[in-house]
Amino acid sequence: MRAVVGSKRARRVAADHPRVVTAGRVGFAAAGVVYVIAGILAMIITLRSFGWSTVNEDEASPLGALKTVSDGPGGSVLLWILALGLLLYAAWRLVSAVMPGEPAAMTMIKRIGFVITAAIYIALAITAVSLSRSHATSTDSNTRVTTLSGRIMSHAAGQFVVGVFGLIVIAVGLYSLRSAAKRDVTDELDLSGMSQHNRRLTKTLGVVGELGRGTATGLVGLFLLRAAITYTVSDATGLDGALRRVALQPWGRLVVAIVAIGFVAYGVFCLKTFPHRRLQAPRT
């Protein structure tokens, strides 16, 4: 019953504030662009693991995607547009996180995931603005994660904090994998105007996307948790570092390929579905 009430409230908020919904949809489109580029960069890591040394070696992460945009024609203008879109995406996730819904454990994990996602994209938006203004090469995400983890672990309870955060990140990744397994990827979409074939294609893109996102998030969480357990700060790394380390293993190439394909699929999913997004309370 509470979930139904929460959904009704979400619909009422959306009806009363249509511009909020429109802004959020624009944010999903911006996120889609970032994911497509990040997926392509992850594919490059896969190619390099097979000895393709002629391909570029840009950072395979959302931050790496922004750097790629910065280096292209009209980079500054595009970065400002992406920054605005990413802020709108973050705002949408924060609103979704506080929408009323059922008080289940999985719902709480989803809310936490929304907040973490919002924080990440706010940071990305700030980085995009910084890159557009200075054209300087900012610190990569791997160094940022390692440095921040080192600072936290230098305090008395720091090792515990990093370990807990690693577990939270793993839980968020597992939630995405659960969504992929259950094919539960369209609860925030209004697909009433789509044909049956288009719905199947949309759901397939979402499932593959969640598989890639869940795998990537889980990898980062595992490296954070290992850093906390072994008290080895260098084990803590961002997405790019996690993919590069995993790619060194024969089985790891498949994992990196899954992330790469998943990122591109999720990016296309966002770009394809952003006009159909609706404000939805978190559900199990």
Side-chain angles (χ1 to χ4, degrees), residues 6-253:
S7 298
K8 288 182 178 178
R9 289 182 182 177
R11 288 194 294 269
R12 187 158 55 247
V13 170
D16 293 341
H17 305 280
R19 292 182 180 178
V20 172
V21 177
T22 300
R25 288 172 176 173
V26 172
F28 272 94
V33 172
V34 172
Y35 266 104
V36 169
I37 298 174
I40 293 172
L41 296 177
M43 286 182 181
I44 290 174
I45 289 181
T46 306
L47 293 176
R48 288 188 66 86
S49 71
F50 284 100
W52 287 37
S53 58
T54 57
V55 297
N56 294 328
E57 196 174 1
D58 296 318
E59 180 185 347
S61 69
L63 177 57
L66 293 179
K67 290 180 180 179
T68 300
V69 171
S70 176
D71 293 336
S76 294
V77 175
L78 291 175
L79 282 174
W80 276 100
I81 295 173
L82 281 176
L84 176 59
L86 294 173
L87 286 175
L88 293 174
Y89 180 83
W92 178 284
R93 279 305 175 213
L94 288 175
V95 172
S96 300
V98 300
M99 292 301 297
E102 54 183 321
M106 292 305 297
T107 301
M108 183 55 63
I109 290 175
K110 193 166 188 176
R111 291 183 191 277
I112 293 172
F114 284 164
V115 173
I116 292 175
T117 299
I120 290 172
Y121 280 93
I122 289 172
L124 282 174
I126 294 172
T127 300
V129 172
S130 176
L131 285 171
S132 69
R133 297 177 65 179
S134 65
H135 300 285
T137 303
S138 70
T139 307
D140 62 68
S141 60
N142 307 319
T143 303
R144 289 184 177 184
V145 173
T146 303
T147 302
L148 180 59
S149 299
R151 290 176 180 173
I152 295 174
M153 289 171 64
S154 66
H155 295 83
Q159 190 174 359
F160 174 77
V161 171
V162 172
V164 169
F165 187 73
L167 288 173
I168 292 173
V169 173
I170 291 172
V172 173
L174 289 175
Y175 188 92
S176 291
L177 293 176
R178 175 180 178 269
S179 296
K182 295 180 64 176
R183 298 180 63 82
D184 182 22
V185 295
T186 58
D187 60 324
E188 292 183 89
L189 301 177
D190 180 8
L191 304 181
S192 56
M194 282 191 179
S195 66
Q196 197 66 28
H197 172 74
N198 208 359
R199 289 186 187 186
R200 285 197 296 269
L201 175 60
T202 299
K203 179 167 283 192
T204 300
L205 286 170
V207 168
V208 175
E210 288 297 335
L211 177 62
R213 291 208 313 157
T215 303
T217 305
L219 281 175
V220 174
L222 284 172
F223 278 107
L224 285 171
L225 183 60
R226 189 170 78 172
I229 292 174
T230 63
Y231 203 73
T232 306
V233 176
S234 59
D235 281 343
T237 185
L239 174 59
D240 178 75
L243 293 178
R244 292 183 189 278
R245 293 181 190 183
V246 170
L248 295 176
Q249 308 298 325
W251 56 266
R253 294 170 179 170

